[in-house]
Amino acid sequence: MSRGRAMAALPPPRSTWDAINPLRMLGELSETRYWMYLLLLPSALLITAIVLFPTVYGFQLSFTEMRLNRPAGNGAFVGLKHYQRMLADPIFWLSLRNTAVWVTFSIVIEFVVGLVAALALNRNLPGGKILAVLILVPYFLPNVVAGNMWALMLDSRVGVVNDILVNIGLLDSYKAWFADPNTAMATAIFVEAWHSFPFFTLLIMAGLKGIPADLYKAADIDGAGAFAQLRLITLPMLRTIIAAAVILRVIGLVNSPDLLLILTQGGPGRSTQVLSLYAFQNAYSDFNFGYAGALSVVMFVLLMLFAWAYIRLSKVNQD
């Protein structure tokens, strides 16, 4: 009798299906420390497919011969041939200098205008919501739309900007802004700054909302003016956000030739030729993907060095 009761107290044996049931196995796995790695696996595979593989392939391409119009030697390992050519390439050095000018002046203008706009919007002025929408409109426009719009507005024959400047007496005649080497780069920088300064405005406005108002009240009591509060409170508190915004914009400016491709195509006389545009032309005009890959690797290394140096100099990693 006691033996029967003991057997009745035992749990029924699991069937073969219960032992291999995927849902049951998944439930048991979710109780272990390996569950978080399983959840990260899809993202890791996606990053590997989208980011890591093209990066590695780009490095590999820079050491091989790959010209679509000369298929005979494609795939051959050429070592540092493309990098040696780059050192003797005057267009590369001109593009490097133009890239420094393009990035530096665009970032400075975008940051200053974005900071001023964010500070103005943060004061809750009358009509601030309408002003905020108007400020953010340029950033919502695709580069292709913004580039073609400004190319038409600055046209030397029918451009409305030329018409306004002539009517108010600042110009004697219509000017071809993108056809003059003396004005092409400056005009392109203006268009880029107009299009992208809202990026800084958005991030700085978000950072301003996180600064305690008590800091400004204490500064008022101590007699600090608006400029002193900006220098001693606002900018230090926004250091991390500014660093992130600057790095993201530098990456975008170095890697994206689309606006210059629409406005100038690197001209006139290569006065607006930048590294990304030069790499694009080598790949899709000359079909020299090996040399374009080497140019892309140089841009990648320069961006990594800039990000490392900027983070160290701004000391954001110490916050």
Side-chain angles (χ1 to χ4, degrees), residues 8-316:
L10 293 174
R14 290 192 300 176
S15 64
T16 305
W17 168 250
D18 289 337
I20 62 172
N21 188 346
L23 294 178
R24 186 184 186 91
M25 294 173 63
L26 196 62
E28 293 175 353
L29 183 62
S30 66
E31 301 296 331
T32 66
R33 61 188 180 92
Y34 300 106
W35 180 246
M36 60 179 181
Y37 298 107
L38 185 63
L39 293 177
L40 291 174
L41 184 60
S43 299
L45 293 175
L46 188 63
I47 291 174
T48 301
I50 296 178
V51 178
L52 187 59
F53 174 75
T55 303
V56 173
Y57 182 72
F59 274 87
Q60 177 188 349
L61 197 62
S62 69
F63 297 105
T64 59
E65 188 69 33
M66 183 62 66
R67 304 192 67 162
L68 299 186
N69 53 354
R70 298 180 186 175
N74 283 348
F77 179 77
V78 295
L80 299 176
K81 173 186 174 182
H82 297 310
Y83 296 97
Q84 292 172 350
R85 173 192 167 184
M86 198 180 303
L87 293 176
D89 186 359
I91 302 177
F92 165 74
W93 294 108
L94 176 63
S95 301
L96 184 62
R97 186 191 69 183
N98 288 341
T99 300
V101 173
W102 166 253
V103 172
T104 302
F105 283 93
S106 296
I107 289 293
V108 170
I109 297 173
E110 289 174 20
F111 169 70
V112 172
V113 177
L115 176 63
V116 172
L119 292 173
L121 294 176
N122 194 52
R123 290 183 173 273
N124 296 322
L125 299 175
K129 293 183 179 180
I130 298 176
L131 182 61
V133 172
L134 294 177
I135 287 176
L136 296 179
V137 163
Y139 191 63
F140 296 148
L141 293 176
N143 283 345
V144 175
V145 176
N148 283 296
M149 181 184 73
W150 277 101
L152 180 62
M153 292 172 61
L154 293 168
D155 188 84
S156 60
R157 296 162 298 176
V158 296
V160 64
V161 173
N162 277 307
D163 187 60
I164 293 174
L165 294 178
V166 168
N167 287 333
I168 64 177
L170 292 179
L171 286 180
D172 295 329
S173 61
Y174 281 25
K175 183 176 181 60
W177 298 93
F178 296 116
D180 185 352
N182 297 318
T183 60
M185 178 62 82
T187 309
I189 289 173
F190 168 79
V191 175
E192 172 61 36
W194 172 87
H195 179 255
S196 299
F197 85 88
F199 175 78
F200 281 93
T201 302
L202 281 173
L203 293 185
I204 292 175
M205 279 184 62
L208 289 173
K209 299 301 182 182
I211 300 178
D214 295 340
L215 294 177
Y216 294 105
K217 294 179 181 178
D220 285 332
I221 294 175
D222 292 337
F227 180 76
Q229 293 180 21
L230 175 66
R231 183 172 58 89
L232 299 175
I233 299 176
T234 305
L235 292 180
M237 295 292 290
L238 295 174
R239 183 191 304 168
T240 303
I241 291 177
I242 292 173
V246 168
I247 291 174
L248 290 174
R249 284 302 303 139
V250 168
I251 293 173
L253 285 166
V254 171
N255 287 333
S256 300
D258 44 0
L259 198 60
L260 286 174
L261 186 64
I262 295 168
L263 295 175
T264 65
Q265 297 184 2
R270 299 192 184 276
S271 60
T272 60
Q273 183 78 280
V274 295
L275 283 176
S276 58
L277 185 57
Y278 190 40
F280 176 86
Q281 291 169 343
N282 271 276
Y284 297 102
S285 296
D286 300 336
F287 302 108
N288 190 351
F289 285 88
Y291 191 53
L295 291 169
S296 300
V297 169
V298 170
M299 289 190 292
F300 176 82
V301 173
L302 290 177
L303 286 173
M304 293 299 101
L305 291 175
F306 167 79
W308 173 80
Y310 185 80
I311 290 174
R312 285 185 62 88
L313 292 175
S314 61
K315 299 179 181 180
V316 295

